[in-house]
Amino acid sequence: MLQAKDIYKRFGESEVLKGVTLNVSRGEVVAIIGRSGSGKSTLLRCLNHLETVDAGSIAIDGQTMVENGPDGRAHYRPDKELRGLLLKMGLVFQDYNLFPHYSALQNVTAAQRMTLRRSPQEAEQRAMLLLEKVGLADKAGEYPCNLSGGQCQRVAIARALAMDPELLCFDEPTSALDPQLTQEVLSVIRQLAKEKRTMIVVTHEMNFARDVADRVIYMDGGRVVEDGAAQDVLGSARSEAIRQFAGEVGY
Amino acid sequence: MHYFNDPHALLQLLRAMRGGIVTTLTIFFATLLISIPLGMVVALLRMSRHKALRLPMSLYILVMRGTPLMLQLFAIYFAVPMLTPFHMDRLVATIVAFALNYAAYFAEIFRGGIESIPVGQYEACRVLGLSKVQTFSHIILPQVVKRVVLPVSNEVITLVKDTSLANVIAVAELFRAAKNEASRAATIEPLFVAGVIYLLMNGVVTIAFSRMNRALAYYKD
């Protein structure tokens, strides 16, 4: 489904990703954990092309988005082709990034209409189904300023799902929420996992990672330090590095 | 208080100033019609990635905001015909000068508004596959409009009063008409009548903007 190989990324002086390789198969839920500054969010942003990689290759569905040229530097596909490939991926942000001037419903229909050219009726039908799925059908007409953080994040999930992504990425989707609201968002993601959606979730929620993810990746200092089945990485036989990190986040 | 307690004389004065009022309104609306879209273009060029576009716009804004509008009026009415083959009618020269001047102010207001939109809005548009044009016209611009209403209303109120500057190149606008009437009747009262008319115009502007503000209050940032 997704192959990312030897991704390098630097911001000025600091090298944030130092050769990260990540493969995700269809139907798999991958949790990425690690300290702030470990590069996990940057990796996700690189996959979604919000950042450009310096070197390495990314392919989705067997189609290359970017790969190294003979000069050893990353070369992206022409923009037009790239846009099509990027639409196979959705991204849910930490701070939702809903459009404040659009109602919940309009937030979910806007890109369906503008990007996918769906008819207003079709987009609305689809949006209502998804809002129902995230438990917000009754809030369709509300503007984000009148919704709680958890509700906003669920609208954002519906907005991403409306584009029918084959791979859905979450960038610390609950970090801006208090514990109670966190649970309502996590239960939506849990539901999506049950439906066998392919997902990458960058998170600090260790319990969630253990329960929901098929695979857990632990990143540190811009590298993947551990990559394995959730019960192996986070189970009782966990490594010293994970033990220490888990202690820090109170797991 | 000749005009203020004699309705007949007041009516006659207003009749004499009618042409001036029409000219003032012409300058006002023509300036807004040109300077608002022009200001948006200048703002976008001013934020361009390319130095060759950005720097001339910075210079343009500096000159327009940094020199007196009165001087700009003289420059466009007198200097342009001397240096180029273009000769402009007084009213046209006035509108050109006002539009160029106000576009600079609007550009800075729009730039501030655009730059205040969080980068996350652009990122959301990108992951949802929106084009740059769609992103700007559907997502960014509507939010910018809400954020700039207040500073724009300030400029528009100033513009109502600034139209009186056109009298320095002998455009027969409201202030000049009032001045003419004042010297003819040997009293400054017509100038106060003009003052009341400017005030009424700005009353209308104020009401229009507070309505717009209310219409945009359907969401909070």
Side-chain angles (χ1 to χ4, degrees):
Chain A
M1 170 88 243
L2 177 89
Q3 288 91 31
K5 195 162 170 274
D6 289 328
I7 304 291
Y8 285 84
K9 173 70 182 173
R10 64 162 61 242
F11 292 114
E13 289 293 288
S14 69
E15 193 160 43
V16 185
L17 297 176
K18 302 168 185 166
V20 173
T21 295
L22 169 70
N23 292 303
V24 180
S25 340
R26 196 172 290 279
E28 199 176 24
V29 178
V30 176
I32 305 180
I33 58 171
R35 296 181 182 85
S36 332
S38 61
K40 53 195 196 309
S41 283
T42 304
L43 173 62
L44 206 59
R45 291 170 59 81
C46 283
L47 298 179
N48 283 276
H49 197 41
L50 290 177
E51 309 286 354
T52 53
V53 304
D54 298 330
S57 66
I58 303 172
I60 182 153
D61 249 358
Q63 290 170 283
T64 305
M65 280 166 43
V66 55
E67 60 188 342
N68 286 337
D71 56 354
R73 300 185 56 83
H75 290 266
Y76 279 87
R77 276 207 179 197
D79 261 355
K80 225 177 152 184
E81 297 168 31
L82 194 58
R83 257 184 92 183
L85 292 181
L86 287 167
L87 279 179
K88 293 174 185 283
M89 275 185 279
L91 176 62
V92 174
F93 298 88
Q94 178 177 338
D95 40 11
Y96 342 124
N97 292 336
L98 290 180
F99 304 131
H101 60 306
Y102 282 170
S103 67
L105 182 67
Q106 289 170 316
N107 263 283
V108 185
T109 55
Q112 292 189 63
R113 303 206 34 209
M114 287 190 265
T115 305
L116 303 178
R117 303 267 168 220
R118 286 183 185 150
S119 71
Q121 295 84 351
E122 192 191 352
E124 203 159 302
Q125 230 168 32
R126 188 97 176 79
M128 283 311 297
L129 277 175
L130 289 166
L131 286 174
E132 207 160 308
K133 187 189 183 95
V134 299
L136 291 172
D138 56 327
K139 301 284 185 191
E142 293 287 348
Y143 286 86
C145 57
N146 296 324
L147 298 175
S148 73
Q151 290 169 334
C152 281
Q153 194 57 295
R154 286 186 282 153
V155 173
I157 293 172
R159 179 175 73 172
L161 287 172
M163 305 301 284
D164 297 326
E166 293 176 32
L167 168 66
L168 192 51
C169 302
F170 294 83
D171 187 6
E172 303 193 23
T174 61
S175 293
L177 304 173
D178 57 38
Q180 190 201 336
L181 300 180
T182 295
Q183 286 314 314
E184 65 183 51
V185 170
L186 292 184
S187 78
V188 169
I189 303 177
R190 213 169 258 135
Q191 181 60 37
L192 296 173
K194 278 202 194 107
E195 295 167 12
K196 285 285 149 211
R197 277 194 174 270
T198 318
M199 295 191 283
I200 303 177
V201 187
V202 169
T203 185
H204 287 128
E205 297 287 327
M206 303 286 274
N207 283 318
F208 172 80
R210 191 198 56 210
D211 297 346
V212 178
D214 301 305
R215 245 169 75 211
V216 172
I217 288 172
Y218 173 63
M219 283 182 70
D220 192 22
R223 289 194 176 87
V224 171
V225 178
E226 299 212 21
D227 179 350
Q231 58 269 30
D232 295 338
V233 176
L234 295 177
S236 49
R238 55 186 186 246
S239 68
E240 188 50 42
I242 295 281
R243 221 172 274 279
Q244 200 181 344
F245 171 67
E248 285 167 28
V249 297
Y251 168 65
Chain B
M1 296 302 274
H2 183 55
Y3 297 102
F4 286 97
N5 49 27
D6 180 352
H8 185 70
L10 181 63
L11 209 63
Q12 212 143 41
L13 174 66
L14 289 177
R15 212 169 280 146
M17 298 197 304
R18 191 166 57 192
I21 294 172
V22 170
T23 303
T24 289
L25 289 174
T26 306
I27 299 169
F28 175 76
F29 284 112
T31 299
L32 286 186
L33 219 60
I34 300 168
S35 63
I36 287 180
L38 182 61
M40 183 53 81
V41 173
V42 173
L44 292 175
L45 293 175
R46 170 73 183 73
M47 291 185 291
S48 164
R49 256 176 306 158
H50 307 287
K51 243 186 181 166
L53 296 174
R54 218 165 54 221
L55 287 185
M57 289 306 125
S58 297
L59 185 66
Y60 165 76
I61 291 168
L62 180 68
V63 171
M64 285 297 158
R65 298 200 308 171
T67 60
L69 176 53
M70 197 188 285
L71 178 62
Q72 293 164 20
L73 274 166
F74 282 128
I76 286 177
Y77 184 60
F78 294 112
V80 169
M82 282 195 283
L83 301 171
T84 70
F86 299 108
H87 176 79
M88 274 181 276
D89 169 82
R90 291 171 199 281
L91 184 61
V92 174
T94 302
I95 291 168
V96 169
F98 272 76
L100 290 177
N101 180 276
Y102 272 77
Y105 284 94
F106 285 134
E108 286 297 87
I109 292 172
F110 295 157
R111 184 165 73 98
I114 293 169
E115 287 180 347
S116 76
I117 303 294
V119 66
Q121 292 289 304
Y122 293 91
E123 293 185 344
C125 290
R126 270 182 70 180
V127 297
L128 291 168
L130 269 58
S131 70
K132 278 190 177 151
V133 174
Q134 286 170 333
T135 299
F136 186 73
S137 63
H138 288 78
I139 306 300
I140 305 303
L141 189 58
Q143 298 184 56
V144 169
V145 168
K146 184 182 167 90
R147 289 177 184 215
V148 302
V149 169
L150 226 57
V152 166
S153 74
N154 262 336
E155 289 306 317
V156 174
I157 285 171
T158 304
L159 172 61
V160 168
K161 296 171 290 175
D162 273 359
T163 54
S164 62
L165 282 174
N167 99 88
V168 300
I169 56 167
V171 174
E173 43 66 63
L174 174 57
F175 192 78
R176 192 173 191 86
K179 226 169 58 176
N180 286 344
E181 290 308 306
S183 44
R184 220 163 51 85
T187 158
I188 62 163
E189 275 183 47
L191 291 177
F192 291 120
V193 173
V196 172
I197 295 172
Y198 285 116
L199 192 60
L200 286 175
M201 287 180 186
N202 268 332
V204 173
V205 169
T206 303
I207 291 168
F209 272 98
S210 71
R211 287 222 173 136
M212 201 187 291
N213 233 341
R214 238 177 299 149
L216 291 168
Y218 66 93
Y219 78 91
K220 288 194 288 287
D221 279 309

